[in-house]
Amino acid sequence: TISRDMSERRLAMRTPSFFARDLSALCGLAARATLLRLFEEENKVDEEAATHAGVVVSREDFEKAIEHLLVRQSSALGAPKIPNVKWEDVGGLAEAKKDLLDTIQLPLEHPEHFSSGIRQRS
């Protein structure tokens, strides 16, 4: 059984490029995520008993499965992986950071200074 908080509309919005085989894999991965969640909660799960007991596949189980499939699709396409790098991870670039923030952040915070196309600094 699928949880009531996982609507078909939400599922369709999260999986626009999926083919039938992708949706089939998604259902299998979501079911697997459900069994893993139940195993973590109860330390013992019989897959057949869970099926007959009407176990509910939650929205979180579907979200985990969707993320897994999206990562797999990206890898298959050869899309680059974007590392999670923070400013604290990079040393010695204070001036570069300041320039980037001035270029990106200032126009967003003070659009009135940039409306004429000339940068007005005090």
Short mmCIF file of all heavy atoms in Angstrom, two decimals, residues 81-121:
data_model
loop_
_atom_site.label_atom_id
_atom_site.label_comp_id
_atom_site.label_asym_id
_atom_site.label_seq_id
_atom_site.Cartn_x
_atom_site.Cartn_y
_atom_site.Cartn_z
N LYS A 81 29.68 15.23 -11.19
CA LYS A 81 29.20 15.31 -9.82
C LYS A 81 29.69 16.62 -9.23
O LYS A 81 30.85 16.99 -9.39
CB LYS A 81 29.74 14.13 -9.00
CG LYS A 81 29.18 12.82 -9.45
CD LYS A 81 29.69 11.69 -8.60
CE LYS A 81 29.14 10.38 -9.12
NZ LYS A 81 29.61 9.25 -8.37
N ILE A 82 28.80 17.32 -8.58
CA ILE A 82 29.14 18.61 -7.99
C ILE A 82 29.51 18.38 -6.53
O ILE A 82 28.68 17.94 -5.74
CB ILE A 82 27.96 19.59 -8.11
CG1 ILE A 82 27.61 19.79 -9.58
CG2 ILE A 82 28.30 20.92 -7.43
CD1 ILE A 82 26.34 20.57 -9.81
N PRO A 83 30.76 18.65 -6.17
CA PRO A 83 31.17 18.43 -4.79
C PRO A 83 30.53 19.45 -3.85
O PRO A 83 30.18 20.57 -4.26
CB PRO A 83 32.69 18.61 -4.83
CG PRO A 83 32.93 19.49 -6.00
CD PRO A 83 31.84 19.18 -6.99
N ASN A 84 30.38 19.08 -2.61
CA ASN A 84 29.80 19.95 -1.60
C ASN A 84 30.96 20.68 -0.90
O ASN A 84 31.41 20.27 0.16
CB ASN A 84 28.97 19.13 -0.61
CG ASN A 84 28.23 20.02 0.36
OD1 ASN A 84 28.09 21.21 0.14
ND2 ASN A 84 27.75 19.44 1.45
N VAL A 85 31.43 21.77 -1.51
CA VAL A 85 32.56 22.52 -0.98
C VAL A 85 32.05 23.81 -0.39
O VAL A 85 31.27 24.53 -1.01
CB VAL A 85 33.60 22.81 -2.10
CG1 VAL A 85 34.76 23.62 -1.55
CG2 VAL A 85 34.09 21.52 -2.71
N LYS A 86 32.50 24.12 0.81
CA LYS A 86 32.11 25.36 1.49
C LYS A 86 33.30 26.31 1.49
O LYS A 86 34.44 25.90 1.26
CB LYS A 86 31.68 25.04 2.92
CG LYS A 86 30.48 24.11 2.99
CD LYS A 86 30.14 23.82 4.43
CE LYS A 86 28.95 22.93 4.54
NZ LYS A 86 29.21 21.54 4.32
N TRP A 87 33.03 27.58 1.77
CA TRP A 87 34.12 28.57 1.82
C TRP A 87 35.16 28.18 2.86
O TRP A 87 36.36 28.42 2.67
CB TRP A 87 33.58 29.96 2.14
CG TRP A 87 32.89 30.61 0.99
CD1 TRP A 87 31.57 30.89 0.87
CD2 TRP A 87 33.50 31.06 -0.23
NE1 TRP A 87 31.30 31.47 -0.35
CE2 TRP A 87 32.48 31.60 -1.03
CE3 TRP A 87 34.80 31.05 -0.72
CZ2 TRP A 87 32.72 32.13 -2.29
CZ3 TRP A 87 35.03 31.60 -1.97
CH2 TRP A 87 34.01 32.12 -2.74
N GLU A 88 34.73 27.56 3.95
CA GLU A 88 35.66 27.17 5.02
C GLU A 88 36.65 26.11 4.54
O GLU A 88 37.73 25.96 5.10
CB GLU A 88 34.90 26.62 6.23
CG GLU A 88 33.92 27.59 6.86
CD GLU A 88 32.56 27.60 6.17
OE1 GLU A 88 32.05 26.54 5.78
OE2 GLU A 88 32.01 28.71 5.99
N ASP A 89 36.27 25.36 3.50
CA ASP A 89 37.13 24.30 2.98
C ASP A 89 38.28 24.82 2.12
O ASP A 89 39.23 24.11 1.85
CB ASP A 89 36.31 23.30 2.15
CG ASP A 89 35.22 22.62 2.96
OD1 ASP A 89 35.38 22.52 4.19
OD2 ASP A 89 34.21 22.21 2.37
N VAL A 90 38.14 26.07 1.66
CA VAL A 90 39.14 26.64 0.75
C VAL A 90 39.87 27.75 1.48
O VAL A 90 39.26 28.69 1.97
CB VAL A 90 38.47 27.21 -0.52
CG1 VAL A 90 39.51 27.77 -1.47
CG2 VAL A 90 37.63 26.15 -1.20
N GLY A 91 41.18 27.64 1.54
CA GLY A 91 41.96 28.65 2.25
C GLY A 91 42.66 29.60 1.31
O GLY A 91 42.95 29.27 0.16
N GLY A 92 42.94 30.81 1.80
CA GLY A 92 43.74 31.76 1.04
C GLY A 92 43.04 32.44 -0.11
O GLY A 92 43.69 33.02 -0.97
N LEU A 93 41.72 32.40 -0.13
CA LEU A 93 41.00 33.01 -1.25
C LEU A 93 40.05 34.12 -0.78
O LEU A 93 38.98 34.32 -1.34
CB LEU A 93 40.21 31.95 -2.02
CG LEU A 93 41.04 30.88 -2.72
CD1 LEU A 93 40.14 29.84 -3.36
CD2 LEU A 93 41.93 31.51 -3.78
N ALA A 94 40.45 34.85 0.24
CA ALA A 94 39.59 35.89 0.80
C ALA A 94 39.24 36.94 -0.23
O ALA A 94 38.09 37.37 -0.33
CB ALA A 94 40.25 36.53 2.02
N GLU A 95 40.20 37.36 -1.03
CA GLU A 95 39.95 38.39 -2.04
C GLU A 95 39.02 37.85 -3.14
O GLU A 95 38.11 38.56 -3.59
CB GLU A 95 41.26 38.88 -2.64
CG GLU A 95 41.12 40.09 -3.53
CD GLU A 95 40.59 41.33 -2.80
OE1 GLU A 95 40.86 41.49 -1.60
OE2 GLU A 95 39.88 42.11 -3.46
N ALA A 96 39.26 36.61 -3.56
CA ALA A 96 38.39 36.01 -4.59
C ALA A 96 36.96 35.86 -4.06
O ALA A 96 36.00 36.12 -4.79
CB ALA A 96 38.94 34.65 -5.01
N LYS A 97 36.83 35.48 -2.81
CA LYS A 97 35.51 35.34 -2.20
C LYS A 97 34.80 36.69 -2.16
O LYS A 97 33.63 36.80 -2.52
CB LYS A 97 35.62 34.77 -0.79
CG LYS A 97 34.31 34.69 -0.05
CD LYS A 97 34.48 34.17 1.36
CE LYS A 97 33.17 34.19 2.11
NZ LYS A 97 33.31 33.71 3.48
N LYS A 98 35.54 37.74 -1.77
CA LYS A 98 34.97 39.09 -1.70
C LYS A 98 34.51 39.54 -3.09
O LYS A 98 33.41 40.08 -3.24
CB LYS A 98 35.99 40.07 -1.14
CG LYS A 98 35.49 41.48 -0.99
CD LYS A 98 36.61 42.39 -0.53
CE LYS A 98 36.23 43.84 -0.61
NZ LYS A 98 35.77 44.29 -1.92
N ASP A 99 35.33 39.30 -4.11
CA ASP A 99 34.96 39.68 -5.47
C ASP A 99 33.71 38.95 -5.94
O ASP A 99 32.82 39.54 -6.56
CB ASP A 99 36.10 39.42 -6.44
CG ASP A 99 37.27 40.36 -6.23
OD1 ASP A 99 37.09 41.41 -5.57
OD2 ASP A 99 38.38 40.05 -6.74
N LEU A 100 33.64 37.65 -5.66
CA LEU A 100 32.46 36.88 -6.06
C LEU A 100 31.21 37.36 -5.35
O LEU A 100 30.15 37.52 -5.96
CB LEU A 100 32.68 35.39 -5.76
CG LEU A 100 33.52 34.63 -6.75
CD1 LEU A 100 33.83 33.24 -6.23
CD2 LEU A 100 32.83 34.54 -8.09
N LEU A 101 31.32 37.60 -4.05
CA LEU A 101 30.16 38.06 -3.30
C LEU A 101 29.72 39.45 -3.77
O LEU A 101 28.53 39.73 -3.88
CB LEU A 101 30.46 38.07 -1.80
CG LEU A 101 30.57 36.68 -1.16
CD1 LEU A 101 30.97 36.79 0.30
CD2 LEU A 101 29.27 35.91 -1.30
N ASP A 102 30.70 40.32 -4.08
CA ASP A 102 30.35 41.65 -4.61
C ASP A 102 29.63 41.54 -5.94
O ASP A 102 28.67 42.26 -6.21
CB ASP A 102 31.61 42.51 -4.78
CG ASP A 102 32.14 43.05 -3.47
OD1 ASP A 102 31.43 42.93 -2.45
OD2 ASP A 102 33.27 43.59 -3.46
N THR A 103 30.09 40.63 -6.77
CA THR A 103 29.52 40.48 -8.11
C THR A 103 28.12 39.87 -8.07
O THR A 103 27.25 40.26 -8.84
CB THR A 103 30.44 39.60 -8.97
OG1 THR A 103 31.74 40.19 -8.99
CG2 THR A 103 29.91 39.47 -10.38
N ILE A 104 27.90 38.94 -7.17
CA ILE A 104 26.63 38.21 -7.14
C ILE A 104 25.67 38.74 -6.08
O ILE A 104 24.50 38.99 -6.34
CB ILE A 104 26.89 36.70 -6.91
CG1 ILE A 104 27.68 36.15 -8.09
CG2 ILE A 104 25.59 35.94 -6.73
CD1 ILE A 104 28.23 34.77 -7.88
N GLN A 105 26.17 38.92 -4.87
CA GLN A 105 25.30 39.24 -3.74
C GLN A 105 24.86 40.70 -3.71
O GLN A 105 23.69 40.99 -3.46
CB GLN A 105 26.01 38.88 -2.44
CG GLN A 105 25.10 38.90 -1.23
CD GLN A 105 25.82 38.37 0.00
OE1 GLN A 105 26.99 38.04 -0.03
NE2 GLN A 105 25.10 38.31 1.09
N LEU A 106 25.76 41.64 -3.98
CA LEU A 106 25.41 43.05 -3.91
C LEU A 106 24.27 43.44 -4.85
O LEU A 106 23.34 44.14 -4.43
CB LEU A 106 26.64 43.93 -4.17
CG LEU A 106 27.58 44.10 -2.98
CD1 LEU A 106 28.82 44.89 -3.39
CD2 LEU A 106 26.88 44.79 -1.82
N PRO A 107 24.29 43.02 -6.11
CA PRO A 107 23.15 43.39 -6.98
C PRO A 107 21.82 42.82 -6.50
O PRO A 107 20.77 43.43 -6.72
CB PRO A 107 23.54 42.78 -8.34
CG PRO A 107 25.01 42.65 -8.31
CD PRO A 107 25.36 42.37 -6.87
N LEU A 108 21.86 41.67 -5.84
CA LEU A 108 20.62 41.09 -5.33
C LEU A 108 20.10 41.86 -4.12
O LEU A 108 18.90 42.05 -3.96
CB LEU A 108 20.84 39.62 -4.96
CG LEU A 108 21.15 38.69 -6.14
CD1 LEU A 108 21.51 37.31 -5.62
CD2 LEU A 108 19.98 38.63 -7.09
N GLU A 109 21.02 42.30 -3.27
CA GLU A 109 20.62 43.01 -2.06
C GLU A 109 20.32 44.49 -2.31
O GLU A 109 19.52 45.10 -1.61
CB GLU A 109 21.71 42.88 -1.00
CG GLU A 109 21.85 41.48 -0.46
CD GLU A 109 22.97 41.35 0.56
OE1 GLU A 109 23.78 42.29 0.70
OE2 GLU A 109 23.04 40.29 1.20
N HIS A 110 21.00 45.10 -3.30
CA HIS A 110 20.84 46.53 -3.58
C HIS A 110 20.67 46.77 -5.07
O HIS A 110 21.54 47.36 -5.73
CB HIS A 110 22.06 47.31 -3.06
CG HIS A 110 22.33 47.10 -1.61
ND1 HIS A 110 21.56 47.68 -0.62
CD2 HIS A 110 23.27 46.35 -0.97
CE1 HIS A 110 22.03 47.31 0.56
NE2 HIS A 110 23.06 46.50 0.37
N PRO A 111 19.55 46.36 -5.64
CA PRO A 111 19.35 46.52 -7.09
C PRO A 111 19.32 47.98 -7.53
O PRO A 111 19.65 48.30 -8.67
CB PRO A 111 18.02 45.83 -7.36
CG PRO A 111 17.34 45.75 -6.05
CD PRO A 111 18.41 45.73 -5.00
N GLU A 112 18.97 48.88 -6.61
CA GLU A 112 18.90 50.30 -6.97
C GLU A 112 20.27 50.87 -7.38
O GLU A 112 20.36 51.79 -8.17
CB GLU A 112 18.30 51.13 -5.82
CG GLU A 112 19.17 51.21 -4.58
CD GLU A 112 19.08 50.02 -3.63
OE1 GLU A 112 18.36 49.05 -3.93
OE2 GLU A 112 19.73 50.06 -2.58
N HIS A 113 21.36 50.30 -6.87
CA HIS A 113 22.70 50.77 -7.22
C HIS A 113 23.16 50.24 -8.58
O HIS A 113 24.15 50.71 -9.12
CB HIS A 113 23.72 50.33 -6.16
CG HIS A 113 23.48 50.92 -4.82
ND1 HIS A 113 23.53 52.28 -4.58
CD2 HIS A 113 23.18 50.35 -3.64
CE1 HIS A 113 23.27 52.51 -3.31
NE2 HIS A 113 23.06 51.36 -2.71
N PHE A 114 22.44 49.27 -9.11
CA PHE A 114 22.88 48.62 -10.34
C PHE A 114 21.89 48.81 -11.49
O PHE A 114 22.09 48.29 -12.56
CB PHE A 114 23.10 47.13 -10.09
CG PHE A 114 24.16 46.86 -9.07
CD1 PHE A 114 23.85 46.80 -7.72
CD2 PHE A 114 25.48 46.69 -9.45
CE1 PHE A 114 24.83 46.58 -6.77
CE2 PHE A 114 26.47 46.47 -8.51
CZ PHE A 114 26.15 46.41 -7.16
N SER A 115 20.85 49.58 -11.26
CA SER A 115 19.81 49.72 -12.28
C SER A 115 20.30 50.44 -13.52
O SER A 115 19.86 50.16 -14.62
CB SER A 115 18.59 50.42 -11.69
OG SER A 115 18.94 51.72 -11.25
N SER A 116 21.23 51.37 -13.39
CA SER A 116 21.70 52.10 -14.55
C SER A 116 22.85 51.38 -15.26
O SER A 116 23.31 51.84 -16.29
CB SER A 116 22.18 53.49 -14.13
OG SER A 116 23.35 53.38 -13.32
N GLY A 117 23.28 50.28 -14.71
CA GLY A 117 24.37 49.53 -15.32
C GLY A 117 25.73 49.99 -14.85
O GLY A 117 26.74 49.39 -15.16
N ILE A 118 25.77 51.07 -14.09
CA ILE A 118 27.04 51.56 -13.55
C ILE A 118 27.07 51.25 -12.07
O ILE A 118 26.12 51.54 -11.34
CB ILE A 118 27.18 53.09 -13.77
CG1 ILE A 118 27.17 53.39 -15.27
CG2 ILE A 118 28.45 53.61 -13.11
CD1 ILE A 118 27.14 54.87 -15.57
N ARG A 119 28.14 50.68 -11.65
CA ARG A 119 28.28 50.30 -10.25
C ARG A 119 28.59 51.54 -9.42
O ARG A 119 29.59 52.21 -9.66
CB ARG A 119 29.39 49.25 -10.14
CG ARG A 119 29.51 48.65 -8.79
CD ARG A 119 30.50 47.52 -8.86
NE ARG A 119 30.74 47.00 -7.53
CZ ARG A 119 31.51 45.99 -7.27
NH1 ARG A 119 32.13 45.39 -8.24
NH2 ARG A 119 31.68 45.58 -6.05
N GLN A 120 27.74 51.81 -8.46
CA GLN A 120 27.92 52.98 -7.60
C GLN A 120 28.36 52.51 -6.22
O GLN A 120 27.58 51.95 -5.49
CB GLN A 120 26.63 53.77 -7.49
CG GLN A 120 26.09 54.24 -8.82
CD GLN A 120 24.70 54.83 -8.67
OE1 GLN A 120 24.15 54.88 -7.59
NE2 GLN A 120 24.12 55.25 -9.78
N ARG A 121 29.60 52.75 -5.89
CA ARG A 121 30.10 52.37 -4.57
C ARG A 121 30.44 53.60 -3.78
O ARG A 121 30.86 54.61 -4.31
CB ARG A 121 31.34 51.49 -4.70
CG ARG A 121 31.04 50.12 -5.25
CD ARG A 121 32.27 49.30 -5.28
NE ARG A 121 32.36 48.56 -4.05
CZ ARG A 121 33.29 47.67 -3.80
NH1 ARG A 121 34.23 47.44 -4.67
NH2 ARG A 121 33.30 47.02 -2.67
#
